[in-house]
Amino acid sequence: MKDAVKLTSSRKLDHLRICAEEDVECGDAGFNDIRFVHNALPECDMEAIDLSARFLGHTFSSPLFISAMTGGHPGTKDVNARLARAAEKFGLGMGVGSQRAALEKPDLKDTFSLVRDEAPHAFLVANLGAVQLRDHGIAWAEKAVEMIDADALAIHLNFLQEAIQPEGDHNAVGCFAAIGELCRDFKTPVIIKETGCGISAATARKCWGVGVKAIDIGGWGGTSWAAVEAVRAGKGRSARDKALLTLGQGFAGWGIPTVVSLAEVLATGGPVIASGGVRSGLDVAKGLAFGADLCGMALPLLKPAMESDAALAHAIEAVHRELTVAMFLTGSARVTDLRKAPVHL
Amino acid sequence: MKDAVKLTSSRKLDHLRICAEEDVECGDAGFNDIRFVHNALPECDMEAIDLSARFLGHTFSSPLFISAMTGGHPGTKDVNARLARAAEKFGLGMGVGSQRAALEKPDLKDTFSLVRDEAPHAFLVANLGAVQLRDHGIAWAEKAVEMIDADALAIHLNFLQEAIQPEGDHNAVGCFAAIGELCRDFKTPVIIKETGCGISAATARKCWGVGVKAIDIGGWGGTSWAAVEAVRAGKGRSARDKALLTLGQGFAGWGIPTVVSLAEVLATGGPVIASGGVRSGLDVAKGLAFGADLCGMALPLLKPAMESDAALAHAIEAVHRELTVAMFLTGSARVTDLRKAPVHL
Amino acid sequence: MKDAVKLTSSRKLDHLRICAEEDVECGDAGFNDIRFVHNALPECDMEAIDLSARFLGHTFSSPLFISAMTGGHPGTKDVNARLARAAEKFGLGMGVGSQRAALEKPDLKDTFSLVRDEAPHAFLVANLGAVQLRDHGIAWAEKAVEMIDADALAIHLNFLQEAIQPEGDHNAVGCFAAIGELCRDFKTPVIIKETGCGISAATARKCWGVGVKAIDIGGWGGTSWAAVEAVRAGKGRSARDKALLTLGQGFAGWGIPTVVSLAEVLATGGPVIASGGVRSGLDVAKGLAFGADLCGMALPLLKPAMESDAALAHAIEAVHRELTVAMFLTGSARVTDLRKAPVHL
Amino acid sequence: MKDAVKLTSSRKLDHLRICAEEDVECGDAGFNDIRFVHNALPECDMEAIDLSARFLGHTFSSPLFISAMTGGHPGTKDVNARLARAAEKFGLGMGVGSQRAALEKPDLKDTFSLVRDEAPHAFLVANLGAVQLRDHGIAWAEKAVEMIDADALAIHLNFLQEAIQPEGDHNAVGCFAAIGELCRDFKTPVIIKETGCGISAATARKCWGVGVKAIDIGGWGGTSWAAVEAVRAGKGRSARDKALLTLGQGFAGWGIPTVVSLAEVLATGGPVIASGGVRSGLDVAKGLAFGADLCGMALPLLKPAMESDAALAHAIEAVHRELTVAMFLTGSARVTDLRKAPVHL
Ligand SMILES: Cc1cc2nc3c(=O)[nH]c(=O)nc-3n(C[C@H](O)[C@H](O)[C@H](O)COP(=O)(O)O)c2cc1C
Ligand SMILES: Cc1cc2nc3c(=O)[nH]c(=O)nc-3n(C[C@H](O)[C@H](O)[C@H](O)COP(=O)(O)O)c2cc1C
Ligand SMILES: Cc1cc2nc3c(=O)[nH]c(=O)nc-3n(C[C@H](O)[C@H](O)[C@H](O)COP(=O)(O)O)c2cc1C
Ligand SMILES: Cc1cc2nc3c(=O)[nH]c(=O)nc-3n(C[C@H](O)[C@H](O)[C@H](O)COP(=O)(O)O)c2cc1C
């Protein structure tokens, strides 16, 4: 058991390094197929554009959401601290990575709790796998929320990753029931979140049905966990590694493109965070135009977060600048005006 | 006549080598145009997924079918033995290559009969060309079945290959009548099988009409016999070789893509084996989702079968693993559940 | 005047060389977008396939037509003689190149009349530009027919080429009236033929209206006269050459693709020769399947015709072989059966 | 203030150099998707083709319009003089570049007024940014017209460029009202002109509504100001330069393709100048066929205008030649006949 916990924790660091250094993106989230109709006479003041967005009763300074990435290993503290400081500074929402490791091994807690320390006013989202929820019940959910004094709890669905990893949990039975139970009794709002394969209309309907409060798309076209596992396996030489490599490559194309998933989920309800392959302020604008409430980025913020506060601030400012220009050129004074901006498909 | 028999036999070895060593694949079977809709909450247990499939009253441990490849030359014995042992071990169905050579020259029989020796419990499919059936009648069909104690008899249609080979049989008249006669009188179920050009709806309807029991698509997008002949001819320098090269290249694009043919045939009836360009467990899953009962692979199993039992086992396990993951991620506990899995086209 | 005649004649040789040696093909005639539906049980005998075709009351041994190319310069005699011998040997129809030079300078006549000498039984088509017809009247038409004892007279429309050449005839007025007059009074059937830009439905309707007996598509996607002129100009350095180069490149994309033009013209009537970018026996089969009566090739026969009788025979045999296989695999015993062969678009 | 004026003026020279030397074109204006239907029997005389066009009550010798480019810096005089002489010689309309610099600093006036000196009979279009109009009112509009004795005044909309430049005017409020006021009171006809992002149907409707007399598309697919700014920034190394580079690259794809914008605007009224990515006489012909009254070119005329009168004349003649051939081959004797020429999309 101890070894398994160590594995969970050290894998976190592995993933961080691979994601930062190797090519783990795959496919096309669909943003390139959307073009805004230029408004040559926008009649609005770019300097007065209001980026503030509302989601789950909270007001954010911008619709950019820092998607769940890390925590659970001492080596991830710096990254998490920088992300948290940026969330605080820019008034962004932020999700932490899966808290499983810290729930299994409490002395890892501070790799998560520092996030709240650094971002006392930010909207923070706790993070737990659906499998862990099923296996450990509401107790873990409560602990996860408590650990960072979270404003919401994301239950992530990552069965592609689980299925590919030989050590993964290959049984999904009972996860949906556990989500239903959680939603019935829990005070903190529950978000359902994919991690790169997207959510279908059918899955979304099931989730709304049991009281899920928001869906985070996590669609295909950005970071691919199949690609990450393929890269990890490609470094080894055993038959097991070769099999894992093949499997990872085979499923790098699996998933619902973010824009397709967004359309599917929005047809069933909301609110929704668009994420997976969001790569620029223009992509954020497109996600919002399609109807998303917030747009999440993980990978594009990882590299600068590993570097410095300044690099991360630059990256976020670039997104805001591009989003602002897109809003200006469609005559959108507020983020919600983007929904009325005409687009060519 | 003796020389012709020798030719048939030695060509078998030639083909095996060319297929294993050269690029003889051409086109696109269509599987890449199909995407499963990811089920983020599959509610099934991957370890409990049941790969068993039924076809012609028989139960297989998996829907993977080893398509007809070889036999008929002493040098093909090893390959056939390995394929047979894999069929036995993994509970797969298997077709042998054309038995013509052994019917013409009985001392080659053991290159086929060893298949039954190695796979005493497997569902084995005997194999005869439509032209041989027409020319030699039910007698040969009976002998072919007997030779391997077959569970079914595939009559293969390969008129593209016949047409391109100067020594091929260029007359197709009477083949359909022969198939009709065979189906009327034969106890063993008759399968009609193409070898890389696919079956149209019209041809399928004619076949069901005379009592054919199953169709094996053998569609375009995988091994191309036109390409094989072009490679063979490309090694020579005579005017005849040059003409054959041109002709082979000209017809490498000829045929109905497997997925198109599958849709056409399934609209007319079944059961159906999808084959031709099936290259992974994901392709198998897609074929099943489209309605196929089994999915056949030839070329991808050839190279490992020429290497060792272990290599072949690895290849088959990789297919099973990928198929299992695809079933898991669409929430399909049984192979037939895949037919209900939603797909994007 | 003498100089102009010399120019006409020497340009002929220039064109022949450029077409044989440089890349003068441009675009896509559309044949690649057509796929035959494979007939796995064709029930016909390939050796008994009948390639004979009828057109303007004549029976040809094959639907392959040798499109108008040359004559008019002593250096073109060999090529014309070889083409003629092939037409005679294989029972093909053949068009000669524009007879203008020989009509302007009678001692060049034998470069055309030898075609009849070499092909006493072939269906030969005389050739005159619409501009020459307008300027010289029926007298020249009669002389052109007489010169080769022609079975039909093609009036070619080549206004792209005329427009691009500074020395070209830039006035098209009166050409249609001249065609109308010719058709009224002429005993020999009149064919209207483009030379690489195709015929639209509107033009076809006008032609049928005045008594034109057949249309030769000459569509875009094969030899491009704009490309030929660009190559010619690219060899010079004068401002005039540079302007011509730009103009030639600018119009290399101009024209109606052969398959599109074929569909347009067939919607208005027939018979029709499909030509322009026909590059193989498979293309011939596709043209026939679309409804053409004959299919013409120019450029692909030029190189072998410049080489030897044997090379030309090989090229023609390759076309016939490929056409025959395509007919076999669609179960078409006669050329007209191809019209019923199903195709995927 | 003085520095700002200097900046405006020197930036002009910068832009000229960058546009002439670097790759500042981006995207696809859409002309390649349009194909004329060839008219094989055009029945018109190419030498008699009439290129004259009418626009705002004026008759031009050709529908080619020299789009607004320069003036405002002593170093731009030569270019402007050459463009003006060409306009005079070929009877073309011509727009001057933004007159802002000369309105801010009157001793730069002659860089514009020489245009009228060199082109005493040409239709000249004065040029002012919508922002300048709003800030300085009709007084500046009158001065701009007066400065070159203009026949019309173009108010350019360039908010993408303004938004990207940190020193740009980021406030669009009031511009539309200013345009409305101008149109109410001004004797000289007012043209609304984009500079590379195109005009939507909605914007066009607003403009016609307040009395705008013509729209100049300035669509996406030609010179991209985002690309120009990216190139400018790419030469620097500061954080500001890096941010500008990212922003410029991010918006190089922004805008309505010229052909799409043309269709949108023409659905709401006219007259219209098609511009943005017009690159040849064939593009001019396509713009006219789509319904434009004139077609404007900027960048393709810049390089020859920087070279010599002769180079510029050659460029213009090449456009006229290609346009003439296109008219000939569609049987269009006059520019307005092109609107009836059938096209394939
Ligand atoms: C290094 C890394 C670690 C991640 N860890 C988690 C995690 O623990 N929990 C989770 O829900 N998602 C996790 N994700 C998924 C992201 O939250 C996001 O859904 C996904 O990466 C798609 O967004 P992207 O394309 O912008 O990276 C992780 C992503 C990255 C790159
Ligand atoms: C080496 C080789 C030999 C084959 N021999 C036969 C044969 O004798 N009879 C037959 O019906 N099909 C034969 N086939 C065709 C296959 O059964 C199958 O229909 C075709 O190769 C398409 O499948 P693939 O793309 O997976 O290779 C052969 C294929 C290969 C590669
Ligand atoms: C070298 C050469 C010379 C040609 N000369 C003539 C000609 O004199 N008269 C004519 O009607 N077409 C002429 N053509 C056009 C062809 O008859 C044919 O319409 C055109 O080349 C398209 O066919 P292809 O793509 O098979 O070459 C000539 C073509 C070539 C290649
Ligand atoms: C060097 C240069 C300077 C320009 N300056 C102006 C200007 O001052 N005012 C204006 O309305 N447009 C200006 N334009 C935009 C052009 O008028 C035109 O709308 C645009 O370049 C698209 O046309 P093109 O693709 O043919 O270059 C300029 C373009 C260039 C290339």
Side-chain angles (χ1 to χ4, degrees):
Chain A
M1 181 66 177
K2 251 188 181 158
D3 279 6
V5 174
K6 247 191 215 157
L7 195 69
T8 307
S9 174
S10 83
R11 205 166 49 211
K12 286 282 138 194
L13 209 60
D14 248 36
H15 281 158
L16 226 56
R17 274 197 212 115
I18 288 174
C19 287
E21 289 163 22
E22 314 261 355
D23 184 15
V24 295
E25 295 181 276
C26 178
D28 181 359
F31 292 108
N32 292 330
D33 298 335
I34 305 172
R35 295 179 67 86
F36 282 108
V37 176
H38 176 65
N39 184 342
L41 271 170
E43 286 295 307
C44 82
D45 181 358
M46 194 165 89
E47 302 302 337
I49 277 176
D50 177 6
L51 291 188
S52 71
R54 285 189 62 80
F55 175 71
L56 293 182
H58 190 90
T59 300
F60 301 79
S61 300
S62 123
L64 176 63
F65 184 85
I66 302 173
S67 288
M69 273 188 287
T70 201
H73 186 282
T76 67
K77 277 170 104 169
D78 282 359
V79 170
N80 252 358
R82 286 194 200 105
L83 291 170
R85 282 195 293 272
E88 182 72 19
K89 176 176 169 188
F90 290 99
L92 312 181
M94 169 180 171
V96 298
S98 170
Q99 293 167 259
R100 177 186 177 184
L103 291 165
E104 284 171 345
K105 193 153 173 269
D107 58 334
L108 290 168
K109 264 192 192 176
D110 63 333
T111 62
F112 291 100
S113 57
L114 64 77
V115 168
R116 177 51 85 199
D117 300 340
E118 298 283 1
H121 305 94
F123 184 96
L124 293 183
V125 181
N127 190 291
L128 205 59
V131 165
Q132 279 73 49
L133 174 69
R134 176 197 60 196
D135 294 349
H136 301 276
I138 296 191
W140 271 32
E142 275 164 357
K143 281 186 189 161
V145 166
E146 220 173 291
M147 201 185 295
I148 60 165
D149 188 15
D151 300 282
L153 168 64
I155 301 300
H156 72 251
L157 312 177
N158 68 333
F159 288 106
L160 170 55
Q161 195 187 1
E162 299 285 356
I164 281 179
Q165 290 177 343
E167 72 269 19
D169 192 313
H170 296 176
N171 189 357
V173 176
C175 289
F176 180 56
I179 290 168
E181 257 175 77
L182 177 70
C183 291
R184 192 147 22 83
D185 302 332
F186 215 55
K187 287 158 304 263
T188 315
V190 173
I191 301 171
I192 288 300
K193 166 181 192 307
E194 242 292 339
T195 55
C197 296
I199 304 278
S200 69
T203 300
R205 251 182 236 111
K206 281 170 66 175
C207 291
W208 303 131
V210 297
V212 164
K213 287 287 183 293
I215 288 177
D216 184 341
I217 297 294
W220 181 78
T223 306
S224 157
W225 286 104
V228 171
E229 297 300 336
V231 168
R232 266 216 306 165
K235 298 184 186 300
R237 290 171 169 208
S238 67
R240 188 182 163 288
D241 284 325
K242 274 171 71 175
L244 195 49
L245 176 63
T246 307
L247 203 58
Q249 291 171 335
F251 280 90
W254 184 277
I256 313 174
T258 297
V259 170
V260 175
S261 176
L262 191 55
E264 292 219 354
V265 172
L266 284 168
T268 69
V272 171
I273 303 179
S275 68
V278 174
R279 290 296 171 264
S280 67
L282 207 46
D283 286 353
V284 170
K286 289 171 180 179
L288 297 169
F290 248 57
D293 297 88
L294 299 178
C295 290
M297 279 186 176
L299 195 67
L301 301 178
L302 180 58
K303 245 191 187 163
M306 291 179 84
E307 208 181 307
S308 68
D309 286 290
L312 185 55
H314 278 146
I316 291 169
E317 282 160 0
V319 170
H320 285 170
R321 206 176 299 116
E322 201 170 302
L323 169 60
T324 304
V325 172
M327 289 177 67
F328 180 52
L329 297 180
T330 53
S332 309
R334 279 171 311 272
V335 151
T336 45
D337 292 343
L338 274 170
R339 296 200 187 170
K340 295 171 278 175
V343 295
H344 286 300
L345 281 179
Chain B
M1 181 67 176
K2 252 188 181 157
D3 279 8
V5 175
K6 248 192 214 156
L7 194 70
T8 306
S9 174
S10 83
R11 205 166 49 212
K12 286 280 138 195
L13 210 61
D14 248 37
H15 282 158
L16 226 56
R17 274 196 212 117
I18 288 174
C19 286
E21 289 162 22
E22 314 260 355
D23 184 15
V24 295
E25 295 182 275
C26 178
D28 181 357
F31 291 108
N32 291 331
D33 298 336
I34 305 172
R35 294 179 68 86
F36 281 108
V37 176
H38 175 65
N39 184 341
L41 271 170
E43 286 294 306
C44 83
D45 181 358
M46 193 165 90
E47 303 301 338
I49 277 176
D50 176 5
L51 291 188
S52 71
R54 284 189 62 80
F55 175 72
L56 293 182
H58 191 90
T59 300
F60 301 79
S61 300
S62 124
L64 176 62
F65 184 84
I66 301 173
S67 289
M69 274 189 285
T70 200
H73 184 282
T76 68
K77 276 169 104 170
D78 282 0
V79 170
N80 252 358
R82 287 195 199 104
L83 291 170
R85 283 195 292 271
E88 182 72 18
K89 176 177 170 187
F90 290 99
L92 311 181
M94 169 179 172
V96 297
S98 169
Q99 293 167 259
R100 177 186 176 185
L103 290 165
E104 285 172 343
K105 193 152 175 268
D107 57 333
L108 289 168
K109 264 192 193 176
D110 64 332
T111 63
F112 290 100
S113 56
L114 64 78
V115 168
R116 177 50 85 200
D117 299 340
E118 298 283 1
H121 306 93
F123 184 96
L124 293 184
V125 181
N127 190 291
L128 205 60
V131 165
Q132 280 72 50
L133 175 69
R134 176 198 61 196
D135 294 348
H136 301 276
I138 297 191
W140 271 33
E142 274 164 358
K143 279 184 188 162
V145 166
E146 218 174 294
M147 202 184 295
I148 59 165
D149 188 15
D151 300 282
L153 168 65
I155 300 300
H156 72 251
L157 312 177
N158 68 334
F159 288 107
L160 169 56
Q161 196 186 1
E162 299 285 355
I164 282 178
Q165 291 176 341
E167 73 270 19
D169 192 313
H170 296 176
N171 189 357
V173 177
C175 289
F176 180 57
I179 290 168
E181 255 175 78
L182 177 71
C183 291
R184 192 148 22 84
D185 302 332
F186 214 56
K187 286 156 305 258
T188 315
V190 173
I191 301 171
I192 289 299
K193 167 182 191 305
E194 241 292 339
T195 55
C197 295
I199 304 277
S200 68
T203 300
R205 248 180 238 112
K206 280 170 65 176
C207 291
W208 303 132
V210 298
V212 164
K213 286 289 184 293
I215 288 178
D216 185 340
I217 297 293
W220 180 78
T223 306
S224 157
W225 286 105
V228 171
E229 297 300 336
V231 167
R232 266 218 304 166
K235 297 184 187 299
R237 291 171 169 207
S238 66
R240 188 182 163 286
D241 284 325
K242 273 171 71 173
L244 195 49
L245 176 63
T246 307
L247 203 58
Q249 290 172 335
F251 281 89
W254 183 278
I256 312 174
T258 298
V259 170
V260 174
S261 176
L262 190 55
E264 291 219 353
V265 172
L266 283 167
T268 67
V272 171
I273 303 178
S275 68
V278 174
R279 291 296 171 264
S280 66
L282 207 44
D283 287 351
V284 171
K286 290 172 180 179
L288 297 169
F290 248 58
D293 297 88
L294 300 178
C295 290
M297 281 186 175
L299 195 67
L301 301 178
L302 180 59
K303 244 191 187 163
M306 291 179 83
E307 208 181 308
S308 68
D309 286 291
L312 184 56
H314 278 146
I316 291 168
E317 281 161 0
V319 170
H320 285 170
R321 206 177 297 117
E322 201 171 301
L323 169 61
T324 304
V325 173
M327 289 178 66
F328 179 53
L329 297 179
T330 53
S332 310
R334 278 171 312 272
V335 152
T336 46
D337 292 343
L338 274 170
R339 297 199 186 171
K340 295 172 278 175
V343 294
H344 287 299
L345 281 180
Chain C
M1 182 67 175
K2 250 188 181 158
D3 278 7
V5 174
K6 249 192 212 155
L7 194 71
T8 308
S9 174
S10 84
R11 205 165 50 211
K12 286 282 138 194
L13 209 61
D14 248 36
H15 282 158
L16 225 56
R17 274 197 213 116
I18 288 174
C19 286
E21 288 163 22
E22 315 260 354
D23 184 15
V24 296
E25 295 182 275
C26 178
D28 181 358
F31 292 107
N32 291 331
D33 298 335
I34 305 171
R35 294 179 66 87
F36 282 108
V37 176
H38 176 65
N39 184 342
L41 271 169
E43 287 294 306
C44 82
D45 181 357
M46 193 164 89
E47 302 301 338
I49 277 176
D50 176 6
L51 290 188
S52 71
R54 284 189 61 83
F55 175 71
L56 293 182
H58 191 90
T59 301
F60 301 80
S61 301
S62 123
L64 175 62
F65 184 85
I66 301 173
S67 289
M69 273 189 284
T70 200
H73 184 283
T76 67
K77 276 169 105 169
D78 282 0
V79 169
N80 252 358
R82 287 195 199 103
L83 291 170
R85 283 195 292 272
E88 182 72 18
K89 177 177 169 186
F90 289 99
L92 311 181
M94 169 179 171
V96 297
S98 169
Q99 293 167 261
R100 177 185 176 185
L103 290 164
E104 285 171 345
K105 192 151 175 269
D107 57 332
L108 289 168
K109 265 192 192 177
D110 64 331
T111 63
F112 291 100
S113 57
L114 64 76
V115 169
R116 178 50 85 199
D117 299 340
E118 298 283 1
H121 306 94
F123 183 95
L124 293 183
V125 181
N127 190 291
L128 205 59
V131 166
Q132 279 73 49
L133 174 69
R134 176 198 60 197
D135 293 350
H136 300 276
I138 297 191
W140 271 32
E142 273 164 359
K143 280 185 190 163
V145 166
E146 220 174 291
M147 202 185 294
I148 61 165
D149 188 15
D151 300 283
L153 168 65
I155 301 299
H156 71 251
L157 311 177
N158 68 334
F159 287 107
L160 169 56
Q161 195 187 1
E162 299 285 355
I164 281 179
Q165 290 176 342
E167 73 269 20
D169 192 313
H170 296 176
N171 188 356
V173 177
C175 289
F176 180 56
I179 291 168
E181 256 175 78
L182 177 71
C183 291
R184 193 149 19 86
D185 302 332
F186 215 55
K187 286 158 305 260
T188 315
V190 173
I191 301 172
I192 289 299
K193 167 181 191 304
E194 241 292 341
T195 55
C197 295
I199 304 277
S200 69
T203 300
R205 250 181 237 111
K206 280 170 67 176
C207 290
W208 302 131
V210 298
V212 163
K213 287 288 184 294
I215 287 178
D216 185 340
I217 296 294
W220 180 77
T223 306
S224 157
W225 286 104
V228 171
E229 297 299 336
V231 168
R232 266 217 305 167
K235 297 184 186 298
R237 291 169 170 208
S238 66
R240 188 181 163 288
D241 284 325
K242 273 170 73 175
L244 194 50
L245 176 63
T246 307
L247 202 59
Q249 289 172 336
F251 281 89
W254 183 278
I256 313 173
T258 298
V259 170
V260 174
S261 176
L262 190 55
E264 292 219 353
V265 171
L266 284 168
T268 68
V272 171
I273 302 178
S275 68
V278 174
R279 291 296 170 265
S280 67
L282 208 45
D283 287 352
V284 170
K286 289 171 180 179
L288 297 169
F290 248 58
D293 298 89
L294 300 178
C295 290
M297 281 186 174
L299 195 67
L301 300 178
L302 180 59
K303 245 191 187 163
M306 290 179 84
E307 208 181 307
S308 67
D309 286 291
L312 184 56
H314 278 146
I316 291 169
E317 281 161 0
V319 170
H320 285 171
R321 207 178 296 118
E322 202 170 302
L323 169 60
T324 303
V325 172
M327 289 177 68
F328 180 52
L329 297 180
T330 53
S332 310
R334 279 171 311 271
V335 151
T336 46
D337 291 343
L338 274 170
R339 296 200 187 171
K340 295 171 278 174
V343 294
H344 286 301
L345 281 180
Chain D
M1 181 68 176
K2 251 191 182 154
D3 279 8
V5 174
K6 248 191 214 157
L7 194 70
T8 307
S9 174
S10 84
R11 205 166 49 212
K12 285 281 137 193
L13 209 61
D14 248 36
H15 281 158
L16 225 56
R17 273 196 212 116
I18 288 175
C19 286
E21 289 163 22
E22 314 261 354
D23 184 14
V24 296
E25 295 182 276
C26 179
D28 181 359
F31 291 107
N32 292 331
D33 298 335
I34 305 172
R35 295 179 66 86
F36 281 108
V37 175
H38 176 65
N39 184 341
L41 271 169
E43 286 294 308
C44 83
D45 181 357
M46 193 166 90
E47 302 301 338
I49 277 176
D50 176 7
L51 291 189
S52 71
R54 285 189 62 81
F55 175 71
L56 293 182
H58 191 91
T59 300
F60 300 79
S61 300
S62 124
L64 175 62
F65 184 85
I66 301 173
S67 289
M69 273 189 286
T70 201
H73 185 283
T76 67
K77 276 170 104 169
D78 281 0
V79 170
N80 252 358
R82 286 195 201 104
L83 291 169
R85 282 195 293 271
E88 181 72 17
K89 176 176 169 188
F90 289 99
L92 311 181
M94 169 179 171
V96 297
S98 170
Q99 292 167 259
R100 176 185 176 185
L103 290 165
E104 286 172 344
K105 192 152 175 268
D107 58 333
L108 289 168
K109 264 193 193 176
D110 64 331
T111 63
F112 291 100
S113 57
L114 65 76
V115 168
R116 176 51 85 200
D117 299 340
E118 298 282 1
H121 306 93
F123 184 96
L124 293 184
V125 181
N127 190 291
L128 205 60
V131 166
Q132 279 72 50
L133 174 69
R134 176 197 61 196
D135 293 349
H136 300 276
I138 297 191
W140 271 32
E142 274 164 359
K143 280 185 189 163
V145 166
E146 220 174 292
M147 201 184 295
I148 60 165
D149 187 14
D151 299 283
L153 168 64
I155 301 299
H156 72 251
L157 312 177
N158 68 333
F159 287 107
L160 170 56
Q161 196 187 359
E162 299 285 355
I164 282 179
Q165 291 176 342
E167 73 269 18
D169 192 312
H170 296 175
N171 188 357
V173 176
C175 290
F176 180 56
I179 290 169
E181 258 174 76
L182 177 70
C183 291
R184 193 149 20 84
D185 302 331
F186 215 55
K187 285 157 305 262
T188 315
V190 173
I191 301 171
I192 289 299
K193 167 181 191 306
E194 242 291 339
T195 55
C197 296
I199 304 278
S200 69
T203 300
R205 249 182 237 111
K206 281 170 66 176
C207 291
W208 303 132
V210 298
V212 163
K213 287 288 184 292
I215 288 178
D216 185 340
I217 297 293
W220 181 77
T223 306
S224 157
W225 286 104
V228 171
E229 297 300 337
V231 168
R232 267 218 303 167
K235 297 184 187 298
R237 291 172 169 205
S238 66
R240 187 181 164 289
D241 284 325
K242 273 172 71 174
L244 195 50
L245 176 63
T246 307
L247 202 59
Q249 290 172 336
F251 281 89
W254 183 278
I256 313 173
T258 297
V259 169
V260 174
S261 176
L262 190 55
E264 291 219 354
V265 172
L266 284 167
T268 68
V272 171
I273 303 178
S275 69
V278 174
R279 290 296 171 265
S280 67
L282 207 45
D283 287 352
V284 171
K286 290 172 179 178
L288 297 169
F290 248 57
D293 297 88
L294 300 179
C295 290
M297 281 187 176
L299 194 67
L301 300 179
L302 180 59
K303 245 190 187 165
M306 291 179 83
E307 208 181 309
S308 68
D309 287 291
L312 184 57
H314 277 146
I316 291 169
E317 281 161 1
V319 170
H320 285 170
R321 206 177 297 116
E322 201 171 302
L323 169 60
T324 303
V325 172
M327 289 177 66
F328 180 53
L329 297 179
T330 54
S332 308
R334 280 171 310 272
V335 152
T336 46
D337 291 343
L338 274 170
R339 297 201 186 168
K340 295 171 278 176
V343 295
H344 286 300
L345 281 179

